[in-house]
Amino acid sequence: MHKYSPVFPAATQIIIIALCASHFLVGCMTASAAAGQRAADSRKPVIIDTDVGSDFDDSVAIMLALQNDELDVKLIVTATNDTTARARIVAKYLLATNRTDVPIGIGLAVNNCRQTLFSWADDISLDSYQKDHGGVVHEDGVQSMYDVIKASAVPVTIVAIAPATNFPALLKRYPDAVHRASVVAMSGSLYRGYGNSSQPAAEYNVWQCAVCSRQMYTAGWALTTTPLDTCGVARMYADSFDLVLGGLGPYSTILLASWIRWCSESGSSACSLAPLITDVFYDAVAVTLATSQGAKFMDIEARKVVVTDDGHTVISESGTEIQAALNWHEGGTGLSAFQMWLGGQLAKNSASSLP
Ligand SMILES: [Ca+2]
């Protein structure tokens, strides 16, 4: 019932692979310079809680967050299934973009089920990532979440783009986290369901662990969500995706390389439509919502919500008040503006994004 994405025609794949090979090293060097020169104190500290490696939208969301000038990614923590395998995927992205300054946290494993993109990162050793490349991997991802929250001089935003399986442990071990952090989540379905259906659905992240999501909703911190109502239509089309294809920066290069692999592994029929139309990039909307751009593209309103045992998010007077992105703005300032903005964000070379 979840999400999935596109494959490039063979000719496009050859072009992309060639571009990857020719631009990879140059891109790494420029990304490093960019990371070191950003004005750290003006950005919003964020933790990304992700199940990268299953559907492709997490990969897009991570690349967006790393590229965005408003966000300071303090930690990427993995969630669900084999969280160590997911950490290897994160490490591969961070190596390719020369962003090993961003720590990785291994979240609570749920089971060892292999996911679509796991094999892409089988060549990554987390030991070598740390010893040879200066990367940081925290074995206790929940602890690392709290360490970031506690150390921050300003409240931290947790961008939750996975089933909320790390949240019960975080809240149980560190109840004061709710006073030091807020959450922006890809979560739920209020008035619209999958495929922009008029029937709300049990959205995957909630449905996977309703108890976990309920704790995240009711913890007492500020919660902002993009439910399926908005994120469920967040595809890219040729005009915006062409920006990514032509980006040639380290982020778009590794993103496209992993996408090709993802499509190959998944065998998804939707891949054959790329680059004319992509899969739904649900999680990229959550990252967008963590920036000032979110309110420029979407209507964000308060709603009282209850998480039901079967994974629905139901509006109820007895529910917890959250802020929810309910609609894209009408006309050219809404979804189409987001699509072009996302394409530009993913495509830009970090060297050109220096303040
Ligand atoms: Ca996700």
Side-chain angles (χ1 to χ4, degrees), residues 29-106:
M29 287 186 282
T30 55
S32 176
Q37 296 180 44
R38 287 192 182 107
D41 57 1
S42 65
R43 292 176 293 155
K44 177 187 289 188
V46 298
I47 296 170
I48 300 176
D49 183 273
T50 174
D51 57 347
V52 64
S54 296
D55 293 314
F56 198 75
D57 55 331
D58 292 78
S59 298
V60 175
I62 291 170
M63 290 295 116
L64 172 61
L66 291 173
Q67 281 274 57
N68 186 269
D69 292 333
E70 292 184 33
L71 304 180
D72 181 7
V73 181
K74 294 289 191 184
L75 174 71
I76 299 175
V77 62
T78 55
T80 76
N81 303 116
D82 183 344
T83 44
T84 301
R86 295 195 194 278
R88 284 195 287 270
I89 296 173
V90 176
K92 189 157 185 170
Y93 282 128
L94 295 178
L95 278 171
T97 54
N98 207 17
R99 292 300 306 273
T100 54
D101 58 298
V102 178
I104 301 169
I106 299 175

Side-chain angles (χ1 to χ4, degrees), residues 53 191 253 259-260:
Y191 300 100
T253 299
W259 193 1
I260 291 168

Side-chain angles (χ1 to χ4, degrees), residues 3 51 57-58 161-162 205 283:
K3 335 174 224 173
D51 57 347
D57 55 331
D58 292 78
I161 54 175
N205 285 346
D283 293 339

Side-chain angles (χ1 to χ4, degrees), residues 339-351:
Q339 291 161 338
M340 296 304 291
W341 176 81
L342 177 60
Q345 289 281 305
L346 296 174
K348 69 183 180 183
N349 186 312
S350 287

